[in-house]
Amino acid sequence: MKRNSGKSWLSVPYIVWMLLFSIIPLCIVIYYAFTDSLTGEFTFSNITGILDYATIFLRSIWLSVAATIICLIIGYPVAYTIARCKPRTQRMLQMLVMLPMCMSFLLRTLAWVALLEDTGIINNIITSLGLQPLPLIRNSGAVILGMVYNYLPYMILPLYTVISKINPRLIEAAEDLGCSKAKTFTKVILPLSVPGIISGITMVFVPAVSTFYISQKLGSTGTVMVGDIIESQFKGAYNPNLGAAMSLILMILIFICIGITNRVAGDEEEVMMP
């Protein structure tokens, strides 16, 4: 006890960091969300004012859910394949998955703009073949594509981590008992990988629902998302109170997702064998 208490000062930098960059900013957001922009008096008008943007909230949720589902459909087979490779091959494939994350998020998005725009690389190839250019940009599909490309690694890595921890003896036992490969996957592998699925869904959905740069560069006025409105409230409309209220709602959503993830992750060690 004395040894631990003597080293308790080591946590001071972390506490100061959390206080300055997490707790205080969160309190400021809550203050602005429940105060009037002119008088500074307590009010719920900012929260109720979010109802005027209900359509944009629903659109953001819909686009984020679509991107998350696509990431899961693509990411699960990739993660499963990596987990079943040899250790050396696994390390190489992990590096390839994480390699795009070493590049700036903005550059990755601008690269897709260069590919999809009306005079971009893809349409130049199409027109060189004598065909009409396709509307590849400034639509919902382009926004979903941008989110899938940028957030796919956040789905693959948690899935890989969980699938690689599944005890091979459980799979061998299922096969010895007469289960086909398909039934082994649905009855053994898939249920045991649920923690990774939940974690991946959270890690993709949370940043996707609050994104704004992707929708600005790849979307149009018909694909405006919550992140765009929050940015406009601080930069254009000069109504930080409403922007803070929207940010607060998004934070609540994030806390809910994290709570679900922690609840499921708490059972991971009970269903996984090291």
Side-chain angles (χ1 to χ4, degrees), residues 162 165 192 194-196 198-199 257-272:
V162 172
K165 291 181 180 179
L192 293 179
V194 168
I198 298 297
S199 180
C257 292
I258 292 176
I260 294 174
T261 302
N262 291 338
R263 185 185 181 94
V264 175
D267 299 331
E268 181 176 344
E269 293 186 357
E270 298 180 6
V271 296
M272 299 288 181

Side-chain angles (χ1 to χ4, degrees), residues 47-211:
I47 301 298
T48 56
I50 296 177
L51 296 176
D52 296 334
Y53 300 92
T55 302
I56 296 177
F57 265 90
L58 293 176
R59 182 190 301 134
S60 300
I61 294 174
W62 147 242
L63 293 176
S64 302
V65 169
T68 303
I69 293 174
I70 295 173
C71 284
L72 178 60
I73 293 173
I74 298 175
Y76 197 101
V78 173
Y80 182 82
T81 301
I82 295 175
R84 290 293 171 261
C85 293
K86 296 179 180 179
R88 185 175 180 180
T89 305
Q90 287 185 25
R91 290 192 292 270
M92 182 187 68
L93 294 176
Q94 287 182 64
M95 182 191 67
L96 293 177
V97 170
M98 294 186 291
L99 190 60
M101 301 171 65
C102 299
M103 187 186 302
S104 169
F105 180 88
L106 305 182
L107 292 178
R108 296 201 304 268
T109 305
L110 289 175
W112 277 107
V113 175
L115 286 170
L116 301 177
E117 63 182 352
D118 297 335
T119 57
I121 297 174
I122 296 178
N123 272 323
N124 283 338
I125 295 175
I126 292 175
T127 54
S128 66
L129 299 175
L131 303 175
Q132 292 294 324
L134 299 175
L136 302 176
I137 202 170
R138 292 183 292 277
N139 52 55
S140 299
V143 175
I144 293 174
L145 175 62
M147 290 193 289
V148 169
Y149 173 75
N150 281 290
Y151 301 131
L152 183 58
Y154 299 113
M155 178 67 74
I156 295 176
L157 295 178
L159 284 169
Y160 160 75
T161 301
V162 172
I163 294 174
S164 62
K165 291 181 180 179
I166 297 178
N167 194 327
R169 289 178 293 180
L170 297 177
I171 300 175
E172 294 175 1
E175 293 175 349
D176 291 342
L177 292 174
C179 289
S180 62
K181 290 186 177 180
K183 186 169 289 188
T184 300
F185 175 79
T186 57
K187 298 294 184 181
V188 179
I189 299 175
L190 186 60
L192 293 179
S193 60
V194 168
I197 294 174
I198 298 297
S199 180
I201 288 175
T202 302
M203 294 182 67
V204 172
F205 178 78
V206 169
V209 76
S210 59
T211 190

